[in-house]
Amino acid sequence: MTMKPGSFAIVGASESTKIGVVPEYSSIGLAIDGAGNALEDAGLKASDIDGLTVAYLPVGNVAQLLGIYPKWVDGTGVGGCTWMFHLRSAMAAINAGYCSTVLIVYGESGRSYHAAPNSYDTLAQGSIEQQFDVPYASASMQAVLFALPLVRYMQQYGLTESQIAMVPVVQREWAAKNPRAKLRSPTTVDEVLSSPMIAWPIRRSMCCLVSDAGGAMIVTSAERARDFPKRPVYVLGSGAAIEAGPCSPAGVRNPMEPEFIRTSARSAFSSAGVTHSDIDHLMIYDAFAHNPIFGLDGLGFVPVGQAGAFIADGNTRPGGSLPMNTNGGGLAYAHSGSYGMLCMLEAVRQMRGEAPAQVEGARTSLVHGWGGFWSACATLIFSNERP
Amino acid sequence: MKLEPTALPETQPFWDGADAGKLVIQQCHDCSSHYFPPAPICPKCSSRDTRWVEASGEATLYSYVLTNAPWPHWKTAGPMSVALVALKEGPRLISTVVGCEQTPENLRIDMPLTATWRAFGDRQRVLCFEPKHRDGA
């Protein structure tokens, strides 16, 4: 029953028409707008869709508004990497024969904040987080909880503030090539380390943007993908893992070498039948500057503790050996809250050869996203060639 | 959202302990492991034979950040430590280190801590930690 690499392909993909500051749409409006663009991109109508995934918005409402009558749905919400989890379950559902063409939908009014629910409005009275995490986490909850392991990691591996600051510096270089990115001017380590302190050691320039955005993609079998207008993006493999609740990072068993990243990476590489050296392009969800550092370590692209130096040495910048976060990332492009869909969409653009900052000749892309304030993740490996 | 922790039946014994100034957590009677947060079955071995025990209160500082925006319920201007604390019994949890200057010089990774209690808004006692003082020091 194992799905062979490249059995499924993304045949439609688009962001919402506008990203950044979009007060004219609520979260559901951004989702519908993104979905409409993806349908158009695939040359499909709503009636062609028989499977639907949505999170943080009621799936039935989104179906009804789009004119879709799905026979399979998934409403799982695990934070920013939710849309990667959805792609995995969509492939499994198609493989099982539950449906044939799945639309994965995302919309979040993360900045203009019209009509929640927003991703992390789930902190109900009496939840584990509300009792044991939120009282301490402060008004900068995301920055604080995401950064909790960082000081120990810095001490254990010698990671410096300057190395962390290089992450936004490099990502501005990518954003400079992207007309849709928010922060396109260059920055420096000194400038990053002079920005206001949010929660030591996290400074404002190490934090992601706050944006409105939506996006959607359509997945179907590789056999059918040939009939679509755009170049198919095949899913070679994937992985995922969870260790704790969204705001309960204390549940991560080994924050210095987190198992959930390693499990997800192992699953992705083995199911795809590729190794690290086969990866031409990389997206690692950057809600905060240290996220790509932990990602490179955990995914095994570098020995543990070496990721800060790897980035600071320029390996992920334009012209580097491992182009990463080529849209500018959550730090410089946009970040709408549960940003994972935007990571996936940049990877699709790169595989189609359509990205503003196109990596010449890229044939594979690995997309890795986080869920919660660091307790879940998923890893996808795409290719524009069918194995 | 009311920020003062709201107890549920499964966590009530923890909060009853807090009100009495005692750190109580669960220990599995089958595999002997302690666990947190509270749950009706043991997360390590799934046994239902779990008991509430008083923890030693001893812990170490696994990692932390210093927030500049503590909730007003703490009645402090900040910076305030948000700490990942490792209990001697094994579980890790999130808390804050009180009773010392909130600076990297005073908050050292792996420093010994002991459990203590502070008010948070309307709740008289929530779990905090303070630097462990050696007897006679």
Side-chain angles (χ1 to χ4, degrees):
Chain A
M1 290 288 286
T2 321
M3 301 189 290
K4 292 204 193 64
S7 299
F8 301 95
I10 294 159
V11 295
S14 177
E15 287 177 355
S16 49
T17 308
K18 288 170 65 181
I19 61 170
V21 185
V22 194
E24 61 266 33
Y25 279 138
S26 70
S27 294
I28 203 164
L30 287 161
I32 303 295
D33 176 59
N37 290 344
L39 285 168
E40 196 181 321
D41 185 70
L44 291 179
K45 299 195 213 9
S47 54
D48 298 315
I49 302 294
D50 60 356
L52 179 67
T53 77
V54 177
Y56 307 110
L57 296 168
V59 62
N61 291 137
V62 171
Q64 182 179 2
L65 292 175
L66 282 171
I68 290 172
Y69 299 89
K71 51 190 188 181
W72 176 84
V73 301
D74 187 349
T76 299
V78 290
C81 57
T82 287
W83 332 99
M84 302 174 192
F85 276 70
H86 285 184
L87 180 60
R88 304 186 83 218
S89 65
M91 295 189 296
I94 299 170
N95 196 53
Y98 296 159
C99 52
S100 66
T101 316
V102 179
L103 176 67
I104 303 170
V105 179
Y106 168 66
E108 190 165 7
S109 182
R111 181 188 184 90
S112 302
Y113 201 64
H114 293 298
N118 168 289
S119 301
Y120 300 110
D121 274 352
T122 52
L123 302 175
Q125 299 296 138
S127 74
I128 290 297
E129 285 93 347
Q130 194 266 352
Q131 293 183 70
F132 301 116
D133 303 308
V134 172
Y136 307 99
S138 89
S140 311
M141 191 179 315
Q142 292 90 333
V144 161
L145 294 178
F146 242 127
L148 267 178
L150 182 57
V151 170
R152 186 183 187 95
Y153 182 99
M154 292 170 77
Q155 183 172 298
Q156 188 161 323
Y157 297 113
L159 176 70
T160 65
E161 280 187 326
S162 296
Q163 287 173 326
I164 299 172
M166 274 300 290
V167 177
V169 168
V170 168
Q171 290 188 199
R172 293 278 192 106
E173 294 174 15
W174 288 110
K177 301 168 183 291
N178 193 328
R180 269 166 81 88
K182 167 98 175 169
L183 296 178
R184 304 184 59 204
S185 57
T187 190
T188 64
V189 167
D190 281 344
E191 203 170 74
V192 173
L193 294 183
S194 307
S195 64
M197 191 69 76
I198 300 295
W200 181 85
I202 300 293
R203 294 182 178 271
R204 188 185 292 158
S205 294
M206 299 171 180
C207 300
C208 58
L209 297 164
V210 179
S211 322
D212 303 321
M217 57 178 52
I218 297 167
V219 60
T220 191
S221 68
E223 285 73 31
R224 294 187 58 225
R226 284 187 290 259
D227 303 331
F228 286 79
K230 289 287 181 76
R231 184 172 189 186
V233 177
Y234 299 98
V235 184
L236 295 186
S238 69
I242 289 183
E243 285 197 66
C247 300
S248 294
V252 174
R253 289 160 291 179
N254 184 354
M256 296 298 98
E257 294 184 45
E259 288 166 59
F260 66 109
I261 314 178
R262 285 153 177 76
T263 299
S264 184
R266 259 195 311 272
S267 301
F269 282 110
S270 70
S271 61
V274 302
T275 63
H276 298 82
S277 57
D278 295 315
I279 302 300
D280 299 324
H281 169 261
L282 182 57
M283 297 295 291
I284 298 182
Y285 191 138
D286 56 323
F288 297 94
H290 66 287
N291 293 147
I293 293 172
F294 277 87
L296 282 167
D297 264 11
L299 291 164
F301 281 99
V302 297
V304 176
Q306 301 293 308
F310 185 80
I311 294 173
D313 287 346
N315 288 290
T316 61
R317 72 188 342 156
S321 61
L322 187 57
M324 180 175 76
N325 292 342
T326 51
N327 56 352
L331 295 170
Y333 177 73
H335 188 277
S336 31
S338 275
Y339 158 78
M341 172 62 81
L342 271 57
C343 290
M344 295 159 79
L345 290 172
E346 171 66 10
V348 168
R349 285 190 289 269
Q350 289 283 348
M351 292 296 91
R352 287 175 169 184
E354 293 176 349
Q358 183 63 44
V359 174
E360 289 309 312
R363 293 176 307 160
T364 60
S365 173
L366 185 148
V367 183
H368 182 81
W370 312 112
F373 310 138
W374 215 57
S375 48
C377 69
T379 313
L380 307 170
I381 300 179
F382 294 155
S383 177
N384 50 27
E385 294 172 346
R386 190 172 182 199
Chain B
M1 179 177 77
K2 179 166 171 285
L3 287 175
E4 283 88 347
T6 299
L8 289 182
E10 298 81 10
T11 66
Q12 191 64 53
F14 173 89
W15 294 111
D16 290 341
D19 289 342
K22 289 186 204 257
L23 174 59
V24 297
I25 62 175
Q26 285 160 299
Q27 181 177 26
C28 176
H29 203 242
D30 273 337
C31 75
S32 299
S33 57
H34 295 80
Y35 63 90
F36 187 86
I41 72 175
C42 173
K44 289 238 162 49
C45 74
S46 304
S47 167
R48 287 184 181 274
D49 192 0
T50 69
R51 322 270 168 96
W52 287 93
V53 300
E54 187 168 358
S56 64
E58 291 181 34
T60 56
L61 181 61
Y62 186 85
S63 194
Y64 68 97
V65 295
L66 294 172
T67 180
N68 286 337
W71 297 123
H73 304 53
W74 290 107
K75 299 193 168 55
T76 176
M80 181 184 122
S81 57
V82 184
L84 196 42
V85 170
L87 298 180
K88 180 178 176 193
E89 288 84 357
R92 287 198 204 106
L93 45 75
I94 292 179
S95 189
T96 183
V97 180
V98 299
C100 71
E101 254 194 276
Q102 305 287 283
T103 63
E105 291 70 36
N106 284 286
L107 294 161
R108 296 174 313 281
I109 300 295
D110 291 330
M111 71 189 280
L113 305 169
T114 48
T116 186
W117 305 93
R118 288 290 187 275
F120 177 77
D122 295 337
R123 187 171 262 282
Q124 297 296 343
R125 291 198 179 92
V126 296
L127 178 63
C128 300
F129 289 83
E130 60 189 353
K132 179 173 179 171
H133 302 292
R134 290 182 188 283
D135 288 333

PDB file of all heavy atoms in Angstrom, chain A residues 191-211:
ATOM      1  N   GLU A 191      22.249  46.277  11.919  1.00  0.00           N
ATOM      2  CA  GLU A 191      20.894  46.830  11.940  1.00  0.00           C
ATOM      3  C   GLU A 191      19.933  45.876  12.652  1.00  0.00           C
ATOM      4  O   GLU A 191      19.096  46.290  13.451  1.00  0.00           O
ATOM      5  CB  GLU A 191      20.434  47.049  10.487  1.00  0.00           C
ATOM      6  CG  GLU A 191      19.339  48.068  10.318  1.00  0.00           C
ATOM      7  CD  GLU A 191      19.115  48.396   8.834  1.00  0.00           C
ATOM      8  OE1 GLU A 191      18.540  47.557   8.114  1.00  0.00           O
ATOM      9  OE2 GLU A 191      19.539  49.492   8.429  1.00  0.00           O
ATOM     10  N   VAL A 192      20.071  44.590  12.367  1.00  0.00           N
ATOM     11  CA  VAL A 192      19.209  43.601  13.020  1.00  0.00           C
ATOM     12  C   VAL A 192      19.439  43.611  14.532  1.00  0.00           C
ATOM     13  O   VAL A 192      18.489  43.596  15.324  1.00  0.00           O
ATOM     14  CB  VAL A 192      19.469  42.184  12.445  1.00  0.00           C
ATOM     15  CG1 VAL A 192      18.712  41.120  13.237  1.00  0.00           C
ATOM     16  CG2 VAL A 192      19.073  42.122  10.972  1.00  0.00           C
ATOM     17  N   LEU A 193      20.702  43.676  14.931  1.00  0.00           N
ATOM     18  CA  LEU A 193      21.014  43.626  16.357  1.00  0.00           C
ATOM     19  C   LEU A 193      20.748  44.951  17.058  1.00  0.00           C
ATOM     20  O   LEU A 193      20.883  45.038  18.282  1.00  0.00           O
ATOM     21  CB  LEU A 193      22.467  43.191  16.561  1.00  0.00           C
ATOM     22  CG  LEU A 193      22.783  41.764  16.119  1.00  0.00           C
ATOM     23  CD1 LEU A 193      24.227  41.394  16.423  1.00  0.00           C
ATOM     24  CD2 LEU A 193      21.839  40.749  16.774  1.00  0.00           C
ATOM     25  N   SER A 194      20.393  45.985  16.296  1.00  0.00           N
ATOM     26  CA  SER A 194      19.975  47.253  16.909  1.00  0.00           C
ATOM     27  C   SER A 194      18.462  47.382  17.000  1.00  0.00           C
ATOM     28  O   SER A 194      17.961  48.345  17.572  1.00  0.00           O
ATOM     29  CB  SER A 194      20.494  48.447  16.096  1.00  0.00           C
ATOM     30  OG  SER A 194      21.861  48.345  15.900  1.00  0.00           O
ATOM     31  N   SER A 195      17.744  46.446  16.406  1.00  0.00           N
ATOM     32  CA  SER A 195      16.276  46.577  16.435  1.00  0.00           C
ATOM     33  C   SER A 195      15.786  46.307  17.853  1.00  0.00           C
ATOM     34  O   SER A 195      16.475  45.677  18.658  1.00  0.00           O
ATOM     35  CB  SER A 195      15.636  45.630  15.419  1.00  0.00           C
ATOM     36  OG  SER A 195      15.859  44.280  15.729  1.00  0.00           O
ATOM     37  N   PRO A 196      14.595  46.808  18.198  1.00  0.00           N
ATOM     38  CA  PRO A 196      14.124  46.710  19.585  1.00  0.00           C
ATOM     39  C   PRO A 196      14.050  45.274  20.076  1.00  0.00           C
ATOM     40  O   PRO A 196      13.708  44.357  19.328  1.00  0.00           O
ATOM     41  CB  PRO A 196      12.714  47.328  19.532  1.00  0.00           C
ATOM     42  CG  PRO A 196      12.687  48.171  18.310  1.00  0.00           C
ATOM     43  CD  PRO A 196      13.635  47.552  17.336  1.00  0.00           C
ATOM     44  N   MET A 197      14.372  45.073  21.332  1.00  0.00           N
ATOM     45  CA  MET A 197      14.317  43.751  21.954  1.00  0.00           C
ATOM     46  C   MET A 197      12.853  43.401  22.231  1.00  0.00           C
ATOM     47  O   MET A 197      12.135  44.183  22.837  1.00  0.00           O
ATOM     48  CB  MET A 197      15.111  43.765  23.265  1.00  0.00           C
ATOM     49  CG  MET A 197      15.335  42.389  23.841  1.00  0.00           C
ATOM     50  SD  MET A 197      16.464  41.387  22.843  1.00  0.00           S
ATOM     51  CE  MET A 197      18.038  42.123  23.307  1.00  0.00           C
ATOM     52  N   ILE A 198      12.448  42.249  21.770  1.00  0.00           N
ATOM     53  CA  ILE A 198      11.083  41.780  22.034  1.00  0.00           C
ATOM     54  C   ILE A 198      11.092  40.888  23.276  1.00  0.00           C
ATOM     55  O   ILE A 198      10.352  41.102  24.226  1.00  0.00           O
ATOM     56  CB  ILE A 198      10.523  40.992  20.830  1.00  0.00           C
ATOM     57  CG1 ILE A 198      10.496  41.875  19.571  1.00  0.00           C
ATOM     58  CG2 ILE A 198       9.153  40.416  21.131  1.00  0.00           C
ATOM     59  CD1 ILE A 198       9.550  43.055  19.651  1.00  0.00           C
ATOM     60  N   ALA A 199      11.922  39.865  23.229  1.00  0.00           N
ATOM     61  CA  ALA A 199      12.075  38.957  24.364  1.00  0.00           C
ATOM     62  C   ALA A 199      13.474  38.403  24.242  1.00  0.00           C
ATOM     63  O   ALA A 199      13.708  37.513  23.431  1.00  0.00           O
ATOM     64  CB  ALA A 199      11.025  37.845  24.313  1.00  0.00           C
ATOM     65  N   TRP A 200      14.422  38.962  25.023  1.00  0.00           N
ATOM     66  CA  TRP A 200      15.822  38.553  24.887  1.00  0.00           C
ATOM     67  C   TRP A 200      15.922  37.051  24.767  1.00  0.00           C
ATOM     68  O   TRP A 200      15.340  36.336  25.585  1.00  0.00           O
ATOM     69  CB  TRP A 200      16.621  39.043  26.094  1.00  0.00           C
ATOM     70  CG  TRP A 200      18.071  38.673  26.003  1.00  0.00           C
ATOM     71  CD1 TRP A 200      19.050  39.367  25.339  1.00  0.00           C
ATOM     72  CD2 TRP A 200      18.687  37.502  26.526  1.00  0.00           C
ATOM     73  NE1 TRP A 200      20.231  38.698  25.442  1.00  0.00           N
ATOM     74  CE2 TRP A 200      20.053  37.552  26.157  1.00  0.00           C
ATOM     75  CE3 TRP A 200      18.226  36.413  27.255  1.00  0.00           C
ATOM     76  CZ2 TRP A 200      20.967  36.567  26.510  1.00  0.00           C
ATOM     77  CZ3 TRP A 200      19.128  35.408  27.614  1.00  0.00           C
ATOM     78  CH2 TRP A 200      20.491  35.495  27.237  1.00  0.00           C
ATOM     79  N   PRO A 201      16.653  36.535  23.769  1.00  0.00           N
ATOM     80  CA  PRO A 201      17.481  37.257  22.800  1.00  0.00           C
ATOM     81  C   PRO A 201      16.791  37.614  21.479  1.00  0.00           C
ATOM     82  O   PRO A 201      17.469  37.927  20.510  1.00  0.00           O
ATOM     83  CB  PRO A 201      18.598  36.238  22.541  1.00  0.00           C
ATOM     84  CG  PRO A 201      17.931  34.916  22.665  1.00  0.00           C
ATOM     85  CD  PRO A 201      16.853  35.077  23.709  1.00  0.00           C
ATOM     86  N   ILE A 202      15.487  37.572  21.417  1.00  0.00           N
ATOM     87  CA  ILE A 202      14.778  37.822  20.158  1.00  0.00           C
ATOM     88  C   ILE A 202      14.521  39.309  19.981  1.00  0.00           C
ATOM     89  O   ILE A 202      13.818  39.932  20.789  1.00  0.00           O
ATOM     90  CB  ILE A 202      13.437  37.061  20.132  1.00  0.00           C
ATOM     91  CG1 ILE A 202      13.670  35.556  20.273  1.00  0.00           C
ATOM     92  CG2 ILE A 202      12.657  37.369  18.862  1.00  0.00           C
ATOM     93  CD1 ILE A 202      14.360  34.919  19.117  1.00  0.00           C
ATOM     94  N   ARG A 203      15.051  39.854  18.895  1.00  0.00           N
ATOM     95  CA  ARG A 203      14.820  41.248  18.541  1.00  0.00           C
ATOM     96  C   ARG A 203      13.785  41.338  17.430  1.00  0.00           C
ATOM     97  O   ARG A 203      13.517  40.358  16.747  1.00  0.00           O
ATOM     98  CB  ARG A 203      16.129  41.898  18.073  1.00  0.00           C
ATOM     99  CG  ARG A 203      17.164  41.995  19.180  1.00  0.00           C
ATOM    100  CD  ARG A 203      18.415  42.669  18.708  1.00  0.00           C
ATOM    101  NE  ARG A 203      19.378  42.796  19.791  1.00  0.00           N
ATOM    102  CZ  ARG A 203      19.421  43.830  20.616  1.00  0.00           C
ATOM    103  NH1 ARG A 203      18.569  44.827  20.478  1.00  0.00           N
ATOM    104  NH2 ARG A 203      20.326  43.879  21.583  1.00  0.00           N
ATOM    105  N   ARG A 204      13.228  42.518  17.249  1.00  0.00           N
ATOM    106  CA  ARG A 204      12.122  42.651  16.307  1.00  0.00           C
ATOM    107  C   ARG A 204      12.499  42.198  14.906  1.00  0.00           C
ATOM    108  O   ARG A 204      11.714  41.563  14.223  1.00  0.00           O
ATOM    109  CB  ARG A 204      11.613  44.092  16.250  1.00  0.00           C
ATOM    110  CG  ARG A 204      10.319  44.174  15.394  1.00  0.00           C
ATOM    111  CD  ARG A 204       9.821  45.562  15.190  1.00  0.00           C
ATOM    112  NE  ARG A 204       9.329  46.135  16.422  1.00  0.00           N
ATOM    113  CZ  ARG A 204       9.219  47.448  16.626  1.00  0.00           C
ATOM    114  NH1 ARG A 204       9.564  48.300  15.691  1.00  0.00           N
ATOM    115  NH2 ARG A 204       8.780  47.892  17.775  1.00  0.00           N
ATOM    116  N   SER A 205      13.701  42.498  14.444  1.00  0.00           N
ATOM    117  CA  SER A 205      14.084  42.090  13.089  1.00  0.00           C
ATOM    118  C   SER A 205      14.293  40.589  12.953  1.00  0.00           C
ATOM    119  O   SER A 205      14.502  40.095  11.851  1.00  0.00           O
ATOM    120  CB  SER A 205      15.361  42.816  12.649  1.00  0.00           C
ATOM    121  OG  SER A 205      15.107  44.187  12.524  1.00  0.00           O
ATOM    122  N   MET A 206      14.244  39.883  14.062  1.00  0.00           N
ATOM    123  CA  MET A 206      14.314  38.427  14.013  1.00  0.00           C
ATOM    124  C   MET A 206      12.911  37.818  14.009  1.00  0.00           C
ATOM    125  O   MET A 206      12.766  36.588  13.999  1.00  0.00           O
ATOM    126  CB  MET A 206      15.078  37.886  15.222  1.00  0.00           C
ATOM    127  CG  MET A 206      16.514  38.371  15.317  1.00  0.00           C
ATOM    128  SD  MET A 206      17.206  37.864  16.915  1.00  0.00           S
ATOM    129  CE  MET A 206      18.863  38.542  16.794  1.00  0.00           C
ATOM    130  N   CYS A 207      11.898  38.665  14.057  1.00  0.00           N
ATOM    131  CA  CYS A 207      10.506  38.197  14.084  1.00  0.00           C
ATOM    132  C   CYS A 207       9.873  38.339  12.714  1.00  0.00           C
ATOM    133  O   CYS A 207      10.202  39.260  11.960  1.00  0.00           O
ATOM    134  CB  CYS A 207       9.666  39.006  15.076  1.00  0.00           C
ATOM    135  SG  CYS A 207      10.242  38.922  16.762  1.00  0.00           S
ATOM    136  N   CYS A 208       8.908  37.458  12.436  1.00  0.00           N
ATOM    137  CA  CYS A 208       8.252  37.499  11.134  1.00  0.00           C
ATOM    138  C   CYS A 208       7.350  38.722  11.004  1.00  0.00           C
ATOM    139  O   CYS A 208       7.046  39.400  11.974  1.00  0.00           O
ATOM    140  CB  CYS A 208       7.440  36.242  10.916  1.00  0.00           C
ATOM    141  SG  CYS A 208       6.195  35.971  12.178  1.00  0.00           S
ATOM    142  N   LEU A 209       6.937  38.961   9.762  1.00  0.00           N
ATOM    143  CA  LEU A 209       5.979  40.009   9.462  1.00  0.00           C
ATOM    144  C   LEU A 209       4.595  39.620   9.972  1.00  0.00           C
ATOM    145  O   LEU A 209       4.381  38.485  10.409  1.00  0.00           O
ATOM    146  CB  LEU A 209       5.918  40.204   7.941  1.00  0.00           C
ATOM    147  CG  LEU A 209       7.235  40.675   7.306  1.00  0.00           C
ATOM    148  CD1 LEU A 209       7.206  40.458   5.806  1.00  0.00           C
ATOM    149  CD2 LEU A 209       7.470  42.141   7.626  1.00  0.00           C
ATOM    150  N   VAL A 210       3.673  40.569   9.907  1.00  0.00           N
ATOM    151  CA  VAL A 210       2.272  40.297  10.240  1.00  0.00           C
ATOM    152  C   VAL A 210       1.450  40.698   9.028  1.00  0.00           C
ATOM    153  O   VAL A 210       1.374  41.888   8.703  1.00  0.00           O
ATOM    154  CB  VAL A 210       1.826  41.081  11.486  1.00  0.00           C
ATOM    155  CG1 VAL A 210       0.360  40.805  11.797  1.00  0.00           C
ATOM    156  CG2 VAL A 210       2.702  40.724  12.680  1.00  0.00           C
ATOM    157  N   SER A 211       0.892  39.726   8.334  1.00  0.00           N
ATOM    158  CA  SER A 211       0.276  39.981   7.028  1.00  0.00           C
ATOM    159  C   SER A 211      -1.076  39.306   6.917  1.00  0.00           C
ATOM    160  O   SER A 211      -1.403  38.415   7.696  1.00  0.00           O
ATOM    161  CB  SER A 211       1.157  39.406   5.912  1.00  0.00           C
ATOM    162  OG  SER A 211       2.527  39.580   6.169  1.00  0.00           O
TER     163      SER A 211
END
